[in-house]
Amino acid sequence: KSSTTYLVQAMKEGDTDFVLVDAVDSPEYDHTGQKPGVMVTYQVKARHRKEVSEPSNPAIVYPKTGV
């Protein structure tokens, strides 16, 4: 098992700061339950032991109906 944890952060449309939504062991993440049509910007940091990386480039998502 990898000792790297991925810190998934999100910022919803209208917010000014990223918030931690989950800490996972895989670089893949499915953030369910988001409101359709509301923009969410994500960034990820990798934590390995006591060190934490700089955030990834932001990724902007517009959830669709039925997601």
Side-chain angles (χ1 to χ4, degrees), residues 9-12 14-20 41:
Q9 300 176 317
M11 179 173 51
K12 292 184 180 180
D15 290 348
T16 57
D17 293 313
F18 284 93
V19 294
L20 180 68
T41 304

Side-chain angles (χ1 to χ4, degrees), residues 1-56:
K1 180 181 174 182
S2 172
S3 60
T4 300
T5 300
Y6 299 93
L7 307 172
V8 181
Q9 300 176 317
M11 179 173 51
K12 292 184 180 180
E13 187 173 359
D15 290 348
T16 57
D17 293 313
F18 284 93
V19 294
L20 180 68
V21 294
D22 212 342
V24 295
D25 294 331
S26 170
E28 296 179 20
Y29 186 74
D30 185 8
H31 194 191
T32 60
Q34 298 305 299
K35 186 175 179 181
V38 176
M39 180 182 78
V40 181
T41 304
Y42 292 95
Q43 67 181 22
V44 177
K45 295 180 181 181
R47 180 175 61 206
H48 184 74
R49 295 190 177 109
K50 293 183 179 181
E51 295 189 30
V52 178
S53 72
E54 292 295 317
S56 65

